[in-house]
Amino acid sequence: MYDLIEELFPICRSITGDGVRQTLEIIKKHIPLEIHDVSTGTQVFDWTIPKEWNIQDAYVIDPIGKKIIDFKKSNLHVLNYSIPIKKKIKLDELKKHLFTLPDLPDLIPYRTSYYKEDWGFCLTHNEFLTLEDGEYEIFIDSSLTDGSLTYGEFLIKGEISDEILISCYICHPSMCNDSLSGVVLATFLAKQLVSMNTKYSIRVLFIPETIGAITWLSLNRKNTRSIKHGLVITCVGDSGNLTYKKSRKGDAEIDRVAEKVLKESKSPFTILDFFPTGSDERQFCSPGFNLPVGSLVRTIYDPSPEYHTSGDNLLFVNKESLGDTFEKYMEIIFILENNRKYINKKPMCEPQLGRYGLYNLVGGSKHVDSVHNQIILLWILNMSDGNNSLLDISEKSGYTFREIAYGAERLLKVDLIGEI
Ligand code: ZN
């Protein structure tokens, strides 16, 4: 995953354009993505697909002829979606188009102007303070033309058509945690899940944030009925603790499962109720859809000082955190896949477990393992009245989901419970 971040990091991406296509082509080397293009001008709910933006180069030359801001050194230096421009202007005029972070004077901010035609440059505040009066040459070799919005989609067909939705966004330029960590995690989840014969079908989306989610929802309105659980992946590679942002429903199965996985991990974590800012869960959880889609991240976007700056670089993410978050996502999918309801086939009093090889026949044994396993079986038998799922039983009993699932497997083998 980290290697893939390194490969994708230098590409200048935006909500449209060749950077997105190049990114999707690289992901396609790992999973068989289907790539979709939606034309400029297409109406998607209240929005319109904008013109396609591409950029070759951009720089500022100072009064003594020195190139001081150079897109080729960092693609964050240009205001994303800047119109093409080439002219000489005075410092006062240039300053109206410069963006800095006075509180974080060593970092370059990431700024966009998708829906207002504008141009600009982003630079460190320290560099900004060195600018002297005089005439500056500015050059942005970009284009805004009729083209398309591009996104990637991969559907892993499961036993049933009900889906788990995994969504990430591919529109940020050189930023590692915000965006790219989610992209690589989604890629490797898909790579793993495709070989696993899952019960659920799994749909993985690689879309530009906001406009991409709106576009996909607009084009796939009917398909959304199949989405039973969903997660938006971003900010999963930093060294912070895990944070789960609940779906708008708040009590969806995905919300309970994510919380369960975090609790069982025994590491510190945070659970947040849904709020209408953030990433594409805003669209998936808009009231017209209200899909059960949450978001599992590490350090959540805004409070992090590196957020939307050049500080969100290859040093800000690490392999251990990516690996740890990957495991948590896999565990969530494991629980979703195995969370079923069973019915006790011998509900009149307890069945005599010894007859089924499920009880240590030497009475009074203190063997911790067998007592532990027998208690789990009693929980499952007692709760399996058709109303409680394995997740319910795990929550009520305090045993881990995997312990309960293993117990259910044993009871199923001897036909003491049946799936409903
Ligand atoms: Zn962002």
Side-chain angles (χ1 to χ4, degrees):
M1 286 189 281
Y2 190 86
D3 290 349
L4 185 55
I5 289 185
E6 277 187 317
E7 189 178 357
L8 297 173
F9 182 68
I11 301 171
C12 181
R13 280 164 291 264
S14 185
I15 51 173
T16 63
D18 291 335
V20 170
R21 290 191 193 98
Q22 208 184 329
T23 300
L24 294 174
E25 285 304 324
I26 291 171
I27 296 166
K28 222 176 156 179
K29 288 193 242 161
H30 295 266
I31 48 172
L33 270 192
E34 206 175 296
I35 295 175
H36 302 264
D37 281 296
V38 187
S39 302
T40 298
T42 307
Q43 194 72 23
V44 286
F45 295 117
D46 203 34
W47 299 60
T48 308
I49 304 280
K51 285 187 172 165
E52 183 178 319
W53 184 70
N54 283 295
I55 182 160
Q56 312 302 326
D57 198 5
Y59 53 77
V60 175
I61 292 178
D62 75 5
I64 56 162
K66 195 175 144 218
K67 201 181 263 190
I68 52 162
I69 306 171
D70 188 356
F71 168 79
K72 292 207 163 132
K73 285 191 179 150
S74 166
N75 55 39
L76 299 185
H77 273 315
V78 73
L79 174 73
N80 201 287
Y81 250 72
S82 278
I83 56 171
I85 195 157
K86 183 177 173 34
K87 65 175 176 179
K88 289 185 174 174
I89 54 171
K90 293 265 185 286
L91 181 61
D92 282 352
E93 185 60 26
L94 175 62
K95 277 185 175 173
K96 291 178 195 162
H97 295 270
L98 296 181
F99 302 88
T100 71
L101 296 166
D103 295 336
L104 298 162
D106 294 321
L107 299 178
I108 308 166
Y110 160 53
R111 294 282 182 272
T112 63
S113 186
Y114 301 139
Y115 301 102
K116 179 179 166 262
E117 290 206 349
D118 200 357
W119 64 270
F121 287 92
C122 304
L123 67 162
T124 69
H125 197 67
N126 285 338
E127 197 175 3
F128 173 82
L129 294 175
T130 66
L131 300 182
E132 286 177 9
D133 278 337
E135 202 174 52
Y136 287 77
E137 188 185 328
I138 55 164
F139 178 59
I140 300 177
D141 182 11
S142 64
S143 60
L144 275 165
T145 53
D146 282 349
S148 55
L149 175 147
T150 312
Y151 68 88
E153 184 168 16
F154 180 36
L155 178 68
I156 304 169
K157 286 214 172 99
E159 281 165 39
I160 57 174
S161 57
D162 286 352
E163 292 178 11
I164 299 173
L165 177 76
I166 305 271
S167 184
C168 66
Y169 49 92
I170 40 148
C171 54
H172 285 41
S174 292
M175 254 173 295
C176 285
N177 202 34
D178 182 12
S179 182
L180 281 184
S181 67
V183 171
V184 302
L185 195 88
T187 304
F188 278 78
L189 276 178
K191 217 170 161 169
Q192 177 89 5
L193 293 167
V194 78
S195 62
M196 285 178 58
N197 297 325
T198 52
K199 178 182 88 166
Y200 282 106
S201 294
I202 296 167
R203 189 179 295 277
V204 192
L205 298 180
F206 297 84
I207 49 181
E209 202 175 20
T210 308
I211 187 70
I214 293 167
T215 301
W216 188 85
L217 284 165
S218 164
L219 299 175
N220 294 276
R221 222 163 153 168
K222 283 187 190 141
N223 298 354
T224 60
R225 285 195 209 115
S226 309
I227 297 171
K228 302 301 174 200
H229 321 283
L231 290 166
V232 172
I233 316 185
T234 183
C235 301
V236 290
D238 65 276
S239 54
N241 295 325
L242 284 152
T243 301
Y244 178 70
K245 174 184 175 183
K246 288 183 181 183
S247 74
R248 182 176 180 273
K249 290 172 186 279
D251 60 352
E253 193 176 337
I254 186 69
D255 300 324
R256 291 175 58 206
V257 170
E259 188 162 351
K260 179 82 180 145
V261 168
L262 294 179
K263 270 185 188 156
E264 287 186 2
S265 77
K266 308 248 188 296
S267 300
F269 64 90
T270 308
I271 303 281
L272 299 173
D273 282 331
F274 179 81
F275 47 88
T277 58
S279 186
D280 286 332
E281 65 279 4
R282 288 153 45 200
Q283 316 310 330
F284 297 123
C285 298
S286 56
F289 287 101
N290 204 19
L291 296 172
V293 176
S295 184
L296 177 62
V297 304
R298 298 197 79 93
T299 303
I300 203 155
Y301 9 92
D302 272 340
S304 154
E306 291 81 3
Y307 172 71
H308 281 187
T309 74
S310 55
D312 187 355
N313 55 29
L314 288 162
L315 298 173
F316 189 57
V317 291
N318 65 78
K319 295 175 190 182
E320 291 71 26
S321 296
L322 285 166
D324 180 65
T325 326
F326 180 85
E327 279 171 21
K328 299 299 183 296
Y329 271 85
M330 284 302 292
E331 192 62 14
I332 289 174
I333 292 167
F334 173 83
I335 296 184
L336 291 173
E337 284 275 297
N338 291 285
N339 186 26
R340 296 168 197 212
K341 282 181 184 166
Y342 294 93
I343 189 108
N344 180 343
K345 291 188 172 177
K346 293 219 183 318
M348 307 296 190
C349 302
E350 291 172 353
Q352 194 185 350
L353 291 177
R355 290 182 54 211
Y356 307 89
L358 297 173
Y359 191 78
N360 185 350
L361 291 169
V362 181
S365 166
K366 291 269 181 351
H367 191 267
V368 179
D369 266 358
S370 58
V371 171
H372 179 94
N373 285 335
Q374 281 156 25
I375 296 171
I376 288 171
L377 298 183
L378 295 179
W379 270 103
I380 301 167
L381 286 166
N382 190 282
M383 292 288 138
S384 292
D385 56 0
N387 293 314
N388 294 302
S389 67
L390 295 185
L391 179 63
D392 294 323
I393 301 170
S394 170
E395 282 175 344
K396 283 178 188 167
S397 68
Y399 289 100
T400 67
F401 184 85
R402 280 185 183 263
E403 285 174 313
I404 297 292
Y406 174 61
E409 211 178 290
R410 295 175 75 206
L411 290 168
L412 200 61
K413 254 186 207 151
V414 296
D415 207 29
L416 278 175
I417 57 170
E419 198 177 337
I420 51 164

